[in-house]
Amino acid sequence: MAHYYNEPSRTFSEYLLIPNLTTKDNVPANVQLKTPIAKFKKGEKSTVELNIPFASAVMQAVSDHNMAVALAQCGGISFIFGSQSVVDQAEMVRKAKNYKAGFVVSRSNLTPEHTLQDVLDLKDQNGHSTAAITDDGTPTGKLLGIVTSRDYRISRDSLGKKVREFMTPFSSLIYGKMGMTLSEANDMIWEHKLNCLPIVDEQGNLVHLVFRKDYDRHKENPNELLDRNKSYVVGAGINSKDYAERVSALVAAGVDILCIDSSDGYSEWQRETIQFVKNNFDVPVGAGNVVDREGFLYLVESGADFVKVGIGGGSICITREQKGIGRGQASALIEVAQARDEYYERTGIYVPICSDGGIVHDYHMTLALAMGANFVMMGRYFARFDESPTKKLKVGNNYVKEFWGEGSNRARNWERYDMGGKQSLVFEEGVDSYVPYAGGLRENMEKTLSKIKSTMCNCGSNTIAELQSKARITLVSATSLVEGGAHDVILKESSLSAE
Ligand code: IMP
């Protein structure tokens, strides 16, 4: 006979935290968000720790090398998406590992044959006022000039003007040579009163741009997540099919931690994949996703270094509707966290868990941590920012960014959603969508983190571990949900857009 769970499975929105005594040292400035993400023995330390408990999802629309760098600069980690060729994914890992703070790959590029209208469109699209002009319009083509807003005047007649007629040509540019240090580049920027210094290789191909504002920014990254060689810490997603080839390329590229990416991780394929990694490489590997004790223990006993929790809760996910599998994210997390704690008691081995998917409000992150997650993985949250790899578009009066699931046809992720090796999905488990554009990652995350820290202070906790041991969590009734938001007042326009 089937096994029945007597309790309904629940989501984060059904819970609230009850404050504990806030002592005088419970102030946001004292809150530490450091968290382990790879298993460790009692008395030892995790080999990989995050400075903030955030990971960006293993998704094409979320985690490329740019996101990896931006998030590591703030103390979190990206798992670069695996639904691309081994070569391309390893190259992204390499780019993030080799990233030198302050040296950026040019994101606005045109050829001399483009027009002023193209320059303005590009500026509107990605907000950069500097465009590199290369022979082929790529960020690594031969550098022929630079266009900034000081190079043109906008009039009706000038919109069709070719870039070559008004760009600052290479012959008049101050540029740096590949291999120079950031402080040398910065000296040139100051000496020549520049806003942007292009860096070229020996053949005159563009390699990087150094911006005056980025140098200042770099000095403002006290929380950045660095490895022993002072490179950013970077993760990558793998699948349980081509791991033999993929893992060795990723390890050669310098990846710090792997994550098997699957909608249902309670499988013999995951066990084989974990064991292959453990037998051949010295790199931690997480596995998942699971939603109960059995799934957790199976992966841990197979050797997983962390376990990811969540099926069907993702914003773009339609797995529950399509297949009828899954579990409310809060219930899944609570059960797996209990299993993790019991396993630690029994064996002295602590296996971090990650709550993946279904985070809608910032307070859901605090709840997830309080319920036992060591870190949270998010797709939608990060997809909204400038640093995500997708296009920013104007739909109606609003700016949006594209965001699609790994189980949508668009992702062509045959390994995650295997339907017998056919090059199409028999049915989709994810949708193709837009998310409201929210601006830069750093500014948004600072706000989110201050909310988390503030709530932790309400709960009398200065660390995540303390929050987990002290948290008092209550279910809320459907009726009382209404009283949680603004109610019985007429909102002014300015309050309608508040998160
Ligand atoms: P979000 O933070 O709610 O957007 O959820 C992101 C998570 O959804 C990812 O980390 C994946 O675990 C999951 N996911 C990504 N793509 C799909 C899909 O197409 N179908 C189902 N789940 C997905």
Side-chain angles (χ1 to χ4, degrees):
M1 192 186 144
H3 175 79
Y4 288 90
Y5 290 81
N6 290 327
E7 287 292 315
S9 72
R10 300 192 181 274
T11 68
F12 291 129
S13 291
E14 292 174 85
Y15 291 92
L16 286 175
L17 284 155
I18 293 180
N20 291 326
L21 174 69
T22 303
T23 59
K24 285 183 190 160
D25 74 329
N26 290 139
V27 289
N30 290 345
V31 174
Q32 266 271 2
L33 292 175
K34 242 187 179 3
T35 191
I37 64 164
K39 75 177 170 210
F40 57 93
K41 287 200 191 110
K42 202 172 191 159
E44 293 180 3
K45 256 180 78 174
S46 173
T47 49
V48 191
E49 282 188 334
L50 305 182
N51 292 333
I52 57 166
F54 286 2
S56 68
V58 194
M59 295 175 75
Q60 294 172 358
V62 181
S63 299
D64 67 350
H65 49 288
N66 289 317
M67 178 61 78
V69 167
L71 188 47
Q73 284 177 332
C74 295
I77 192 168
S78 286
F79 286 88
I80 290 178
F81 66 93
S83 51
Q84 57 179 328
S85 75
V86 171
V87 173
D88 289 349
Q89 190 188 17
E91 185 53 27
M92 280 193 183
V93 170
R94 202 167 279 118
K95 277 188 186 155
K97 292 301 293 180
N98 293 343
Y99 176 86
K100 286 164 62 192
F103 289 80
V104 298
V105 174
S106 172
R107 290 181 84 174
S108 291
N109 308 287
L110 293 169
T111 69
E113 297 314 309
H114 280 98
T115 62
L116 177 55
Q117 183 66 60
D118 296 323
V119 173
L120 298 176
D121 289 347
L122 194 59
K123 189 175 168 203
D124 197 34
Q125 196 184 319
N126 55 22
H128 302 146
S129 55
T130 302
I133 311 304
T134 57
D135 59 347
D136 55 4
T138 70
T140 51
K142 199 173 177 55
L143 183 65
L144 302 178
I146 291 280
V147 168
T148 70
S149 39
R150 275 182 274 174
D151 292 312
Y152 52 81
R153 277 177 81 179
I154 304 169
S155 67
R156 204 177 326 133
D157 304 336
S158 64
L159 293 178
K161 240 184 173 179
K162 298 270 189 203
V163 165
R164 72 175 131 78
E165 296 172 50
F166 59 87
M167 69 184 187
T168 304
F170 186 70
S171 54
S172 318
L173 279 181
I174 309 283
Y175 60 89
K177 298 239 171 79
M178 195 163 98
M180 74 191 315
T181 64
L182 184 59
S183 83
E184 286 164 350
N186 193 49
D187 287 346
M188 285 183 80
I189 286 177
W190 280 93
E191 195 180 319
H192 298 280
K193 298 190 165 71
L194 306 172
N195 278 326
C196 167
L197 179 75
I199 308 290
V200 298
D201 67 12
E202 280 176 5
Q203 288 73 43
N205 296 317
L206 179 61
V207 187
H208 288 121
L209 299 176
V210 179
F211 290 94
R212 175 190 291 253
K213 64 175 172 24
D214 282 355
Y215 182 75
D216 293 338
R217 219 169 208 222
H218 170 59
K219 290 191 294 189
E220 291 163 15
N221 284 332
N223 229 3
E224 60 191 358
L225 190 64
L226 299 169
D227 66 12
R228 255 186 249 121
N229 304 319
K230 304 262 178 264
S231 291
Y232 287 126
V233 172
V234 180
I238 58 171
N239 62 70
S240 53
K241 306 285 179 319
D242 64 10
Y243 51 83
E245 189 195 353
R246 194 171 288 273
V247 175
S248 59
L250 293 171
V251 169
V255 77
D256 295 280
I257 186 160
L258 300 169
C259 174
I260 310 173
D261 181 40
S262 167
S263 57
D264 171 13
Y266 189 9
S267 77
E268 290 183 339
W269 292 290
Q270 289 234 348
R271 164 169 281 198
E272 270 178 28
T273 310
I274 297 167
Q275 288 175 349
F276 172 83
V277 176
K278 293 276 135 199
N279 290 338
N280 294 285
F281 301 95
D282 184 21
V283 62
V285 57
N289 287 9
V290 299
V291 287
D292 67 354
R293 172 184 307 273
E294 284 80 6
F296 169 81
L297 288 173
Y298 182 81
L299 293 179
V300 167
E301 277 153 16
S302 303
D305 287 286
F306 70 87
V307 173
K308 213 142 64 70
V309 182
I311 297 180
S315 54
I316 31 50
C317 176
I318 50 172
T319 298
R320 292 186 196 165
E321 284 170 17
Q322 293 282 60
K323 294 173 48 178
I325 60 162
R327 192 173 193 189
Q329 185 64 14
S331 301
L333 184 59
I334 292 167
E335 182 172 315
V336 173
Q338 268 170 6
R340 187 265 322 274
D341 292 348
E342 285 161 19
Y343 186 80
Y344 181 56
E345 277 285 297
R346 187 154 50 85
T347 64
I349 297 171
Y350 188 89
V351 183
I353 56 176
C354 168
S355 176
D356 176 20
I359 300 264
V360 181
H361 302 292
D362 291 345
Y363 84 87
H364 288 170
M365 304 171 198
T366 323
L367 267 175
L369 297 172
M371 287 172 175
N374 300 92
F375 62 115
V376 293
M377 177 173 272
M378 296 175 290
R380 188 198 61 89
Y381 178 81
F382 289 109
R384 302 171 304 147
F385 302 149
D386 287 320
E387 291 78 358
S388 77
T390 69
K391 278 200 219 114
K392 177 179 151 197
L393 303 167
K394 198 164 185 188
V395 174
N397 285 328
N398 300 313
Y399 281 104
V400 295
K401 291 210 61 163
E402 292 188 293
F403 181 44
W404 60 92
E406 288 296 300
S408 67
N409 267 327
R410 176 165 184 183
R412 303 171 66 81
N413 187 349
W414 320 129
E415 279 77 21
R416 191 177 206 260
Y417 298 94
D418 183 32
M419 298 290 166
K422 292 195 205 81
Q423 295 296 289
S424 77
L425 299 176
V426 177
F427 59 90
E428 293 182 289
E429 285 190 46
V431 296
D432 191 357
S433 67
Y434 299 125
V435 284
Y437 166 66
L441 173 139
R442 176 186 300 259
E443 300 72 52
N444 278 282
M445 249 175 38
E446 272 169 11
K447 200 165 164 190
T448 300
L449 290 170
S450 27
K451 287 190 209 170
I452 294 176
K453 288 180 180 175
S454 176
T455 311
M456 286 174 64
C457 292
N458 296 134
C459 295
S461 312
N462 282 353
T463 64
I464 294 173
E466 206 178 348
L467 175 70
Q468 289 170 350
S469 67
K470 283 189 172 173
R472 296 184 301 148
I473 301 173
T474 178
L475 270 169
V476 288
S477 72
T479 333
S480 76
L481 281 179
V482 178
E483 102 189 340
H487 60 92
D488 301 305
V489 292
I490 301 167
L491 285 186
K492 290 187 183 171
E493 284 272 302
S494 55
S495 304
L496 286 171
S497 57
E499 262 266 295

